[in-house]
Amino acid sequence: MRILISSDVIRGYNDTIILFLLMDQPSYGYQVSKMIRELSEEKYIIKETTLYSAFTRLEKNGYVESFAGRGESGGKQRTYYRITEEGRRYYEEKCLEWQVTKEVVERFIRKKEL
C-alpha cells in the first residue's frame, strides 16, 4: 500500500524543505518541485500554488532572495531563489523544532509489533 503525505500534515515544514534544497545552490520553482518529488520517493508532491506561496513568504521574511537567470544551456529566463544567512539560521531553528515535534508526536503513536 502506497501512502502519500497529506499537505495538512507537512504544511508547517514546507519552508524547511525548500530551504534545505537551496542550501547548496540557487534553484527555480520547477526544479525545487521535482527535487521534492524525487527525494520523497513521490510520497510528497508539492502543489505549485503551495510552492510559490512559500517562496513569496520566505522572500518577504528575508529567508530567500530571488533573481532572474537562465539555465546552464541558455534557455528561457527563470526566477531563481537563493537562501540568505537569515534563511540558514531559520532553517537551523526549524530543524531543532522538528526534533522536539517528532519526539512529542512519537509518544502518541502506537507501534505495531511485527
Side-chain angles (χ1 to χ4, degrees), residues 33-75:
S33 174
K34 185 176 165 190
M35 288 189 290
I36 291 170
R37 184 180 302 122
E38 288 172 2
L39 289 172
S40 73
E41 298 175 341
E42 298 196 15
K43 292 180 181 106
Y44 180 50
I45 298 169
I46 193 167
K47 293 177 185 166
E48 189 174 324
T49 54
T50 302
L51 178 62
Y52 286 99
S53 293
F55 279 138
T56 300
R57 180 178 54 258
L58 289 166
E59 189 166 29
K60 180 181 171 196
N61 291 329
Y63 302 144
V64 300
E65 46 192 29
S66 62
F67 63 97
R70 296 190 188 279
E72 295 170 8
S73 59

Side-chain angles (χ1 to χ4, degrees), residues 44-103:
Y44 180 50
I45 298 169
I46 193 167
K47 293 177 185 166
E48 189 174 324
T49 54
T50 302
L51 178 62
Y52 286 99
S53 293
F55 279 138
T56 300
R57 180 178 54 258
L58 289 166
E59 189 166 29
K60 180 181 171 196
N61 291 329
Y63 302 144
V64 300
E65 46 192 29
S66 62
F67 63 97
R70 296 190 188 279
E72 295 170 8
S73 59
K76 70 177 190 170
Q77 190 163 321
R78 297 184 171 109
T79 300
Y80 281 79
Y81 299 88
R82 79 174 60 114
I83 191 169
T84 63
E85 283 307 311
E86 186 66 26
R88 290 177 188 279
R89 285 190 288 276
Y90 178 68
Y91 171 79
E92 294 299 327
E93 288 172 22
K94 293 299 280 182
C95 288
L96 292 172
E97 179 186 86
W98 168 250
Q99 292 304 317
V100 174
T101 301
K102 188 172 125 183
E103 182 182 310

Side-chain angles (χ1 to χ4, degrees), residues 5-15 17 36 43-44:
I5 298 170
S6 102
S7 57
D8 289 339
V9 170
I10 207 160
R11 181 177 295 128
Y13 288 91
N14 281 325
D15 292 357
I17 291 167
I36 291 170
K43 292 180 181 106
Y44 180 50

